[in-house]
Amino acid sequence: MNLVILWTDALLFALMLCLASLVWASYRLEHLRRPWRRVIRSRPAMVAAVILLAFSATGLVDSIHFRQGNNGEVSSLLDRWLTPFRTRVEKTYSAPLATHLYSRQFLQLPDGRTVWTRPRLKFAGAHLDDPQDKWSDIARIALTGAGKGLAVWLGLFVFVAMARKGRPPETLPWITVALTAAVLITGTCALYALNLEYHVFGTDKVGEDVLYQSIKSIRTGLVLGTLTTLVMLPFAIGLGVLAGYFRGWVDDLIQYLYTTLNSIPGVLLIAAAILMIQVYMATHADRFTSLAVRADLRLFFLCLILGITSWTGLCRLLRAETLKLREMEYVQAARALGVGHFRILLRHIVPNLFHIVLISVVLDFSGLVLAEAVLSYVNIGVDPTTYSWGNMINSARLELARDPIVWWTLAAAFLFMFTFVLAANLFSDAVRDAFDPRRVED
Amino acid sequence: MTAYLIRRILNAFPILIGVNLITFALFFMVNPPDDMARMQLGQKYVTEEAIDKWKQQHGYDKPLFYNGGKSGTAKLTETIFFQKSVRLFLFRFGRSDSGRDIGADIRERMWPSLAIALPTLLLGLAVNTSFALLLVFFRRTYLEFGGVTGCVVLMSISALFYIIAGQFVFGKVMKLVPISGYDSGPAAIKFVILPVVVGIVAGIGSGTRWYRTLFLEEVEKDYVRTARAKGLSETEVLFRHVLPNALIPILTGVVAILPLLFMGSLLTESFFSIPGLGSYTIDAISRQDFAIVRAMVFLGSVLYIVGLVLTDISYTLVDPRVRLQ
């Protein structure tokens, strides 16, 4: 059992650390604390924040990888927790909460006859003697699971309430946050308990649990949404600030650079780059020993390429803002006092661009998660072996044409993706409303 | 105006050269033609002769930048860079890796793309501006709150789901229109309806929200207050004063993407199997036909630059204060 650190793991954790320290640092500055308070006061934003936190936590747990033995497969901490979901593989399709397979097969009875019927599932509902009373069993399991979840939530609630006792009341809408957490925790516990005995979202073509796939996909979406930003920010901030501050030929050069990159159709640039990586990987197959490493590297490259194609918009915004800032009196005063260019940029210009960077990063996040699905459909997204909502949709598309139709893979991917993106959208709206100086008045 | 146009066209050249260099670097320098040949012919058990033959057939057997074996200008022209990249400037796209004439393919396939993209854009524009106007008209009511929430919800759904749901409901369950396919001439209409409707619905969320912010910005301005002060009704204010002024950024935004409509939509076309340029590109990507991808990248950049120039011109047309120098 060795800890394996994949590229995206390391970067994801580094990014989370950066983010946490940035939020902490900005919370200590009064002029940035005010907009954060506005975000915290907003109820939809806090509901969204709790959901986003839950999703991020899942993604982070899924980013701690181990290798079994010396040459074994790489699996994550989440995989180990969800081992019962992962290993209970049925023969083929089964509907949500079903006890029988979805398709009919010839079955050999003990007395030698063969019948054309739908056989019982190997794992789901196997503890039932009579599949007829599965609904009462499901209700019992779900209720006990939810009850345990409620107990966990109560414990948490009491703990937080005790810890906060005596402190001045905060602006945070506590009741909203507590209720969201209650729904999330009880729901998760009920789902977990149920999925130990059944397949809540059914199984796919090779009999794999769909709920497990959806949960594993969270990490892919999270990595793409955040790492792309990490790649994009140095380009956007560095070049934008330089172009706006120095003007002249530096400005011309940087403008030329981003107009050129912008004029290439984004999808085609991504496609070209991914094709090149495929060729590279195919010719250097010996360098990619394990499947997980290979898939991870492709995900990393995808972030890299998405980042390279998407820094131009933010760069233009930052350039315009820097053009405005450099004429401000305090910057001129700094220049008159003999402060160097580098110091002016670092102390007087970049910190004042914080709100633009924050707004654009938060707004881009949901778009990137959505883009992943589209790219995977065009086969230029993540590796086909990586769990992602895009890959799930891609495989489920043809299942709708089957008769009878198989809808649950699509439904599960839709549900998870929609929740994630909606939460991100609601949160980013609140952040934009709070930080955009043009909107603060109303 | 003419001087401006000439300058813009001259300005476009460095950008196109840049695009060309980037694609060239991506396609030929990261992976030499040998690797491409091996990929096309299958990974294992490929002989050197087979690779050489493939390279010769597709014109990849020349040096990258400089051919020392030839004399005169042929030293520069008999290279991959000249043959495959510089020729794009003359819109000579050459032959695809499977041997078809790319230029002819593009001319044939741009019409189905346009037949889908143009109605989607225009009808979508009409629908989005109407919804946005409604939201602005009912501002500060529950109706607006509901509408804006609805927009966020619609925005959070992936375009894939709109297409899949549209095909399933209208094509499979209700059997109103064919699920996918295309036909030439007027018979194409029944194939066009569903993609267009799906495209419009998928764009309502973000479009309406964006136009609403444009309208709201305009509503706050002084001339609107003046119009109200002289006793105009809210409807008159909205339609006579706010709408024309807010249309300026909307229309110029539309002009910018007009040329790109030729390129078609990758997703819609491949889902509805419409023989346009979008599905052409997708097929090329999945077949790893680099010649087509290269041609499409170049075409896309040219159209993007044309869009930028058109935007500038349209600004002078709708807003007399803007002058081009």
Side-chain angles (χ1 to χ4, degrees), chain B residues 132-209:
Chain B
L133 268 179
L134 266 180
L135 288 185
V136 172
F137 189 77
F138 289 106
R139 66 184 176 279
R140 304 209 179 98
T141 62
Y142 281 107
L143 202 68
E144 190 208 19
F145 180 75
V148 175
T149 316
C151 283
V152 179
V153 169
L154 285 178
M155 271 168 65
S156 306
I157 300 173
S158 168
L160 293 166
F161 287 114
Y162 285 111
I163 299 178
I164 294 174
Q167 280 186 328
F168 185 72
V169 173
F170 295 107
K172 197 167 178 222
V173 177
M174 292 165 80
K175 293 198 167 55
L176 289 176
V177 282
I179 291 182
S180 66
Y182 196 73
D183 205 344
S184 55
I189 288 178
K190 68 172 189 281
F191 291 102
V192 168
I193 292 173
L194 186 58
V196 169
V197 169
V198 166
I200 292 170
V201 173
I204 283 181
S206 53
T208 304
R209 233 168 80 107

Side-chain angles (χ1 to χ4, degrees), chain B residues 12 30 33 57 67 85 130 152 189 196-197 249 251 260 275 306:
Chain B
V30 178
Q57 268 174 357
N67 194 342
S85 276
S130 332
V152 179
I189 288 178
V196 169
V197 169
L251 282 184
L260 284 171
V306 172

Side-chain angles (χ1 to χ4, degrees), chain B residues 236-252:
Chain B
E236 273 176 313
V237 170
L238 267 187
F239 281 92
R240 293 251 311 272
H241 293 268
V242 174
L243 184 62
N245 283 301
L247 272 183
I248 293 178
I250 296 178
L251 282 184
T252 44

Side-chain angles (χ1 to χ4, degrees), chain A residues 256 260 262-263 267-268 271-272 275-276 278-279 283 373 377-378 397 400 402 405 414 418 422 425 429 432, chain B residues 14 18-19 26-27 31 35 153 156 160-161 164 168 172 209 266-267 270-271 281-282 285 288 290 301 304:
Chain A
Y256 167 72
T260 308
N262 235 0
S263 70
V267 182
L268 288 179
L275 281 182
M276 292 307 108
Q278 273 180 349
V279 174
T283 44
Y377 168 73
V378 192
R397 199 167 52 90
L400 273 189
R402 276 174 56 103
I405 61 162
F414 174 78
F418 178 67
L422 186 62
N425 274 337
D429 272 2
R432 190 186 49 185
Chain B
V19 169
L26 266 178
F27 282 103
N31 290 290
D35 285 352
V153 169
S156 306
L160 293 166
F161 287 114
I164 294 174
F168 185 72
K172 197 167 178 222
R209 233 168 80 107
L266 299 181
L267 265 193
S270 68
F271 258 101
T281 316
I282 295 254
I285 292 172
Q288 313 208 325
F290 298 106
S301 335
Y304 175 81

